[in-house]
């Protein structure tokens, strides 16, 4: 490891940054709380504008909702039923941009099924037509008759195009892009307290690696805490009572051999009419999701009741699908801003609330992180009196080199700040969402790579 390598972004660099926060220096222009896709995109766009920012993330980058999504980059065809036309058009615009500008977003064909539980055939035709037009592409949907590849209860399907990604990879790529443009991004750093002081904000946080408290100062705070955003708002303003609701969505992952489909499937559950996705990704197929209010942003439990709901809904197409077919399952918590007893009817749009030098983001989607970043950067620029260029930004200009095996894992440790095995297995490589064995076979190798750097081991384990 060359100490002169400026693009190095590893545990040692992270600890050096924290150790440099002492006395009254440095004072950052902006502190971003939350290293999911929202915080990462904002760090990236601010760094492109030369804004000095620090990002604090309590777990690994992308370990919150941004690793619990369906991993679709889409306009959300379902939202047309709620007449959210503008929202869908904006999402499709972002989808098209990401499809043509990053290799981590790929096109995917979807078959939306027509059967007794789906919307009527004519309604689906119209919905897909409008969806295509809103994406800037006029084409007439064509009904394809079920030729026997699906149960007889399905009369056929319409095809439409959308896209998919690895959600956490998108986060990491934005984070590294931001770091390479001068941002300080700290994983495993939990914000505990936010104190206002004249023109400054003092943020106390815990370095979860070395189990010690630290402080950092900034002129502005951006709350990108996803489902924890309400909690963070209350650190700054104990009176905060915004209408942030939390809804849990779970997915199950099964072997693709068991399912045997090439295109993704969209269906409505016969249990309650909710829209569901069945998404093949190489060795595995992801099936989801649920939408149920929860009280705590930390409620990541995959409840058996929700698993049974997904299995039962999917059994209509894949009879006999059972618990033993599941290779992995995961949950994410949606932050939803709005009032309704039905989580499905609350808009997936984002809301930005500013209070002095505190900017809060509530809600949003993975797909539109660039719009959120541009809006936040514009608000910041106006409030702070800083000139901001947001056109065509943020740009994900980092790309991991083509590497494999030990070289790949060393690279992720040294240039993407992977500290623990799951930082590589679950997030940087997303093995459980692509491989049948969830990456179990490479776990020992990854542990070995993370342990071969004695300085890193000492930092992780603390002084002997
Ligand atoms: C089931 C499900 C399916 C979805 N599917 C899709 C989809 O297919 N396509 C799509 O576009 N969107 C989808 N979404 C929405 C999308 O995942 C979210 O909008 C997006 O990930 C939110 O990102 P975020 O950065 O705002 O929140 P998060 O990713 O949750 O990031 C917030 C971060 O803040 C950190 N944090 C919290 N408190 C503190 C603290 N005190 N100190 C430091 N850090 C803190 C957390 O650890 C977390 O990493 C889905 C969501 C769910 C739940």
């Amino acid at each position: 490891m060359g100490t002169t390598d400026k693009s190095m972004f590893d545990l040692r660099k992270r600890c050096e940054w924290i150790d440099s926060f002492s006395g009254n220096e440095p004072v950052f222009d902006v502190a971003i709380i939350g290293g999911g896709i929202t915080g990462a995109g904002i760090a990236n766009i601010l760094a492109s504008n030369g804004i000095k920012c620090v990002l604090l993330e309590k777990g690994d980058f992308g370990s919150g909702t941004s690793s619990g999504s369906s991993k679709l980059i889409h306009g959300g065809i379902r939202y047309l039923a709620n007449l959210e036309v503008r929202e869908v058009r904006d999402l499709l615009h972002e989808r098209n941009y990401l499809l043509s500008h990053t290799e981590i977003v790929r096109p995917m064909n979807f078959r939306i099924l027509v059967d007794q539980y789906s919307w009527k055939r004519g309604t689906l035709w119209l919905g897909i037509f409008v969806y295509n037009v809103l994406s800037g592409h006029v084409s007439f949907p064509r009904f394809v008759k079920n030729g026997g590849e699906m149960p007889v209860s399905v009369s056929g399907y319409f095809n439409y195009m959308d896209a998919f990604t690895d959600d956490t990879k998108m986060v990491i790529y934005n984070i590294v892009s931001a770091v390479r443009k001068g941002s300080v991004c700290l994983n495993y750093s939990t914000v505990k307290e936010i104190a206002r002081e004249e023109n400054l904000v003092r943020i106390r946080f815990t370095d979860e690696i070395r189990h010690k408290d630290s402080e950092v100062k900034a002129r502005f705070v951006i709350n990108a805490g996803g489902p924890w955003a309400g909690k963070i708002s209350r650190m700054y303003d104990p009176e905060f009572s915004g209408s942030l609701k939390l809804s849990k969505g779970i997915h199950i992952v099964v072997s693709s051999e068991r399912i045997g489909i090439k295109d993704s499937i969209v269906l409505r559950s016969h249990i309650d009419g909710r829209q569901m996705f069945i998404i093949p990704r190489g060795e595995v197929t992801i099936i989801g999701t649920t939408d149920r209010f929860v009280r705590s942003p930390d409620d990541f439990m995959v409840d058996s009741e929700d698993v049974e709901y997904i299995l039962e809904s999917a059994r209509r197409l894949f009879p006999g699908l059972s618990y033993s077919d599941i290779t992995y399952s995961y949950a994410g918590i949606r932050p939803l801003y709005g009032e309704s007893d039905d989580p499905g009817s609350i808009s997936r749009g984002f809301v930005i609330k500013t209070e002095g030098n505190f900017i809060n983001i509530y809600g949003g989607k993975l797909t539109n992180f660039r719009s959120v970043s541009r809006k936040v950067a514009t608000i910041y620029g106006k409030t702070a009196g800083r000139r901001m260029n947001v056109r065509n930004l943020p740009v994900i200009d980092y790309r991991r080199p083509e590497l494999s095996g030990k070289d790949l894992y060393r690279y992720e440790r040294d240039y993407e700040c992977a500290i623990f095995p799951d930082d590589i297995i679950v997030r940087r490589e997303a093995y459980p969402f692509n491989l049948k064995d969830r990456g179990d076979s490479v776990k020992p190798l990854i542990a070995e790579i993370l342990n071969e750097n004695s300085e890193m081991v000492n930092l992780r384990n603390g002084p002997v």
Side-chain angles (χ1 to χ4, degrees), residues 34 36-38 57-58 65-66 70 72 191 227 334 364-367:
I37 190 61
T38 308
E57 163 54 53
K58 73 182 168 78
T65 316
S66 300
S70 304
L72 300 178
V191 172
R334 301 176 186 88
K365 296 214 30 110
L366 185 68
T367 306

Side-chain angles (χ1 to χ4, degrees), residues 274-320:
R274 281 201 64 252
Q275 180 180 275
M276 292 183 59
F277 291 106
I278 304 181
I279 308 162
R281 293 171 58 106
E283 286 186 14
V284 296
T285 295
I286 297 178
I287 313 179
T289 177
T290 53
D291 200 353
R292 200 157 54 79
F293 282 134
V294 288
R295 283 178 181 279
S296 162
D298 299 298
D299 182 358
F300 282 100
M301 245 226 341
V302 175
D303 311 79
S304 54
E305 194 188 320
D306 286 343
V307 173
E308 190 45 51
Y309 166 87
I310 292 183
L311 282 172
E312 178 57 22
S313 303
R315 269 185 211 122
R316 188 155 64 81
L317 296 181
F318 308 100

